Amino acid sequence: GNSVTQMEGPVTLSEEAFLTINCTYTATGYPSLFWYVQYPGEGLQLLLKATKADDKGSNKGFEATYRKETTSFHLEKGSVQVSDSAVYFCALNPGAQKLVFGQGTRLTINP
Amino acid sequence: EPEVTQTPSHQVTQMGQEVILRCVPISNHLYFYWYRQILGQKVEFLVSFYNNEISEKSEIFDDQFSVERPDGSNFTLKIRSTKLEDSAMYFCASRRIQETQYFGPGTRLLVL
């Protein structure tokens, strides 16, 4: 079946630290991969996406590369800010209708 | 930029009552979805809707749930007889063909 596994949270970092949130997936076929972000009290916002192997999605300083050989889509940012504090969800679309989400990783950035 | 909107933002109801959650998808989108997120848990797919019919539904989407697109703009989720375990954040999403799903801000439902 299709599933997404994210690194356990919560994650707490200091401002300007390097961020990695791990995401691995299991899927049949060739899914599209996504990172969504949920800021406190808000809904889900698309952060970035990649639709095929070796694609790199990027937005707001965040990046993730679709690695088919390791079935991974790790989220990275070189220098985090307090405003990046949120819950981050990795998700896949296996070509069917729905999105399959990971469990989410809560990120807190301290000044 | 067009957005998916949802109303109400919060709803409190008594167990056994019916609730209707409303969504206005982005106007030129063709596919519509409901997801839910129980507090502290992952976002779960409920149902997808295309061409005025359900195209896929999850095990969660039992006979107590229904969806409707009553006019050209609204997309509703009805829970006929709410249970305590229906307490969750409910998200509506929409997309065009082969494009990313865009989510609304959610309705937080609390069943007492």
Side-chain angles (χ1 to χ4, degrees):
Chain A
N2 299 303
S3 67
V4 176
T5 301
Q6 290 180 234
M7 68 185 288
E8 292 289 329
V11 174
T12 302
L13 296 172
S14 298
E15 208 165 19
E16 299 184 2
F18 184 86
L19 168 70
T20 301
I21 300 178
N22 290 336
C23 171
T24 57
Y25 67 90
T26 302
T28 53
Y30 303 98
S32 295
L33 301 172
F34 305 83
W35 278 99
Y36 282 84
V37 58
Q38 185 179 31
Y39 297 105
E42 299 185 15
L44 296 167
Q45 299 177 25
L46 178 67
L47 181 60
L48 54 84
K49 69 177 183 180
T51 57
K52 62 183 187 297
D54 300 325
D55 269 1
K56 178 186 283 187
S58 60
N59 185 25
K60 299 182 182 179
F62 290 90
E63 294 183 339
T65 301
Y66 189 139
R67 300 282 187 205
K68 183 167 174 285
E69 63 277 12
T70 54
T71 60
S72 65
F73 192 55
H74 304 322
L75 182 69
E76 295 182 336
K77 186 174 184 181
S79 176
V80 292
Q81 307 299 315
V82 171
S83 57
D84 294 327
S85 298
V87 181
Y88 291 80
F89 291 91
C90 185
L92 67 84
N93 181 337
Q97 293 280 349
K98 65 189 179 189
L99 283 170
V100 176
F101 285 88
Q103 67 269 39
T105 302
R106 181 175 299 278
L107 173 67
T108 301
I109 307 299
N110 294 321
Chain B
E1 186 174 335
E3 291 179 337
V4 177
T5 60
Q6 290 185 242
T7 55
S9 58
H10 294 80
Q11 177 140 10
V12 181
T13 190
Q14 295 292 323
M15 191 168 55
Q17 294 296 304
E18 174 184 285
V19 296
I20 297 177
L21 310 183
R22 291 183 167 79
C23 169
V24 179
I26 295 172
S27 64
N28 61 353
H29 284 192
L30 302 174
Y31 296 82
F32 313 112
Y33 303 83
W34 284 101
Y35 293 81
R36 79 172 185 190
Q37 183 185 27
I38 295 172
L39 189 64
Q41 298 185 25
K42 66 170 66 177
V43 178
E44 301 173 291
F45 167 77
L46 291 178
V47 66
S48 59
F49 192 86
Y50 170 71
N51 200 25
N52 285 320
E53 62 183 23
I54 290 173
S55 46
E56 186 177 356
K57 60 183 180 179
S58 73
E59 292 176 355
I60 303 167
F61 194 88
D62 61 20
D63 291 345
Q64 293 299 312
F65 291 87
S66 63
V67 289
E68 193 177 33
R69 189 155 161 81
D71 52 42
S73 59
N74 289 284
F75 179 51
T76 62
L77 174 69
K78 182 192 291 187
I79 309 175
R80 290 190 182 81
S81 178
T82 49
K83 307 183 187 70
L84 296 176
E85 55 265 36
D86 293 327
S87 295
M89 179 76 92
Y90 288 80
F91 292 106
C92 173
S94 69
R95 69 173 175 94
R96 294 179 64 187
I97 297 172
Q98 299 298 333
E99 289 192 6
T100 304
Q101 292 183 28
Y102 291 88
F103 284 77
T107 293
R108 185 168 295 284
L109 175 66
L110 179 60
V111 182
L112 301 176

